[in-house]
Amino acid sequence: MVRACLDWTERRHHLAGTAGAVLCRALFDRGWVERGRDRRSVRLTVSGRTALPALVGVALPD
């Protein structure tokens, strides 16, 4: 259900498996992230920059 996965381009771990897919879909459905210039990248939207810190209790850098 949950596993770590090393991204070969960024060399950073990310959430993979079912949990990662469900979280990703929820972020897109809420409009908090959108696709970047290429299919493998995403970026936070304005609403995502507001909602995510409130949801998880962390501050995002400017």
Side-chain angles (χ1 to χ4, degrees):
M1 180 171 278
V2 177
R3 65 183 174 88
C5 180
L6 181 62
D7 182 286
W8 66 274
T9 55
E10 296 288 328
R11 295 289 184 224
R12 296 177 70 180
H13 288 281
H14 63 272
L15 182 61
T18 303
V22 169
L23 176 61
C24 182
R25 182 78 265 148
L27 295 174
F28 276 110
D29 288 349
R30 286 172 175 76
W32 294 351
V33 296
E34 60 188 17
R35 292 273 176 218
R37 291 181 185 216
D38 62 70
R39 187 133 171 87
R40 292 180 47 87
S41 68
V42 296
R43 68 177 200 87
L44 279 175
T45 62
V46 172
S47 60
R49 288 192 66 79
T50 301
L52 281 173
L55 179 67
V56 296
V58 297
L60 295 175
D62 290 332

